[in-house]
Amino acid sequence: PVPDELALPYDANQPRVTAEMLAPVDTLLSTFTTSYGSSSSNRAGNIDIAAAAINGIVLMPGEDFSYNKLVGPRDAQSGFRIAPVIINGQLEPGMGGGVCQVSTTVYNAALFANLKIVQRSHHSHPVPYVPSGRDATVSYGSLDLKFRNSTDAPIIIETQTGGRRLTVRILGKGPAPVVSLERSGIKGLPGR
């Protein structure tokens, strides 16, 4: 005989973010684009993987963004490939080369959205895709890029790659901040 009722165990999972929670998001707070036109196919592929891991991330007020937590280990199992990385000021082949261009592009978008930067490190020498002093290097397990949603509404981080360009947009509650960045104390290194 087949029973009329059957008790099945289940867990009710509620979404972390609902459409109602995102209702205040009405403005493009910032956008920043970098180019990787001269990159090898391995480096370009690494940029695509890292950018895809961040696309669509929602941060509620007070929540922190952690690049390393979202992108994860830069290893072959995650799809990353060997491409140039900066080690002790020199370009050398390394797993995941190119992911710092993604962290740098995200960092600049966060700056122009006027978000609170919690953790950021610079490369050992300037990189060609942003002005000096505006880069953000990362290394899984040691150097991270972290910032906080210091607004009173959710923010959404969108990434887009195409035509060897990476664009990061941060959406939130308007009005968009007016941010100007001033560089000071920039000094050249001997022999460079």
Side-chain angles (χ1 to χ4, degrees), residues 32-40 43-48 50-51 54 67 71 74 80 84-86 96-109 121 123 127-130 134-139 145 159-161 163-168:
F32 196 80
T33 299
T34 59
S35 174
Y36 53 101
S38 62
S39 293
S40 68
R43 187 176 188 279
N46 292 338
I47 289 171
D48 290 342
I54 295 166
Y67 185 90
V71 174
R74 274 63 104 181
F80 289 103
V85 296
I86 299 172
V99 297
C100 290
Q101 183 161 350
V102 180
S103 59
T104 293
T105 309
V106 170
Y107 170 64
N108 279 269
S121 301
H123 287 85
V127 294
Y129 43 85
V130 290
R134 296 255 304 274
D135 61 312
T137 188
V138 290
S139 177
L145 168 65
T159 64
Q160 180 180 4
T161 57
R164 295 289 181 112
R165 293 172 63 82
L166 166 64
T167 299
V168 175

Side-chain angles (χ1 to χ4, degrees), residues 28-186:
L28 176 64
L29 299 179
S30 70
T31 185
F32 196 80
T33 299
T34 59
S35 174
Y36 53 101
S38 62
S39 293
S40 68
S41 61
N42 279 2
R43 187 176 188 279
N46 292 338
I47 289 171
D48 290 342
I49 292 168
I54 295 166
N55 188 39
I57 292 301
V58 174
L59 292 179
M60 301 307 287
E63 285 186 337
D64 285 352
F65 170 96
S66 166
Y67 185 90
N68 283 338
K69 182 177 178 184
L70 292 168
V71 174
R74 274 63 104 181
D75 54 28
Q77 293 81 6
S78 302
F80 289 103
R81 298 178 225 152
I82 301 289
V85 296
I86 299 172
I87 299 174
N88 297 322
Q90 301 295 320
L91 283 177
E92 297 183 19
M95 187 60 78
V99 297
C100 290
Q101 183 161 350
V102 180
S103 59
T104 293
T105 309
V106 170
Y107 170 64
N108 279 269
L111 285 175
F112 285 109
N114 203 30
L115 300 174
K116 177 165 180 47
I117 306 302
V118 175
Q119 182 181 349
R120 172 257 176 186
S121 301
H122 59 81
H123 287 85
S124 56
H125 71 79
V127 294
Y129 43 85
V130 290
S132 294
R134 296 255 304 274
D135 61 312
T137 188
V138 290
S139 177
Y140 190 77
S142 59
L143 300 175
D144 201 358
L145 168 65
K146 294 181 180 180
F147 59 85
R148 182 167 298 131
N149 177 358
S150 48
T151 74
D152 63 356
I155 61 169
I156 302 169
I157 303 169
E158 295 181 341
T159 64
Q160 180 180 4
T161 57
R164 295 289 181 112
R165 293 172 63 82
L166 166 64
T167 299
V168 175
R169 289 181 290 275
I170 299 181
L171 301 108
K173 180 181 173 186
V178 177
V179 175
S180 66
L181 302 176
E182 184 176 313
R183 297 184 313 153
S184 65
I186 305 293

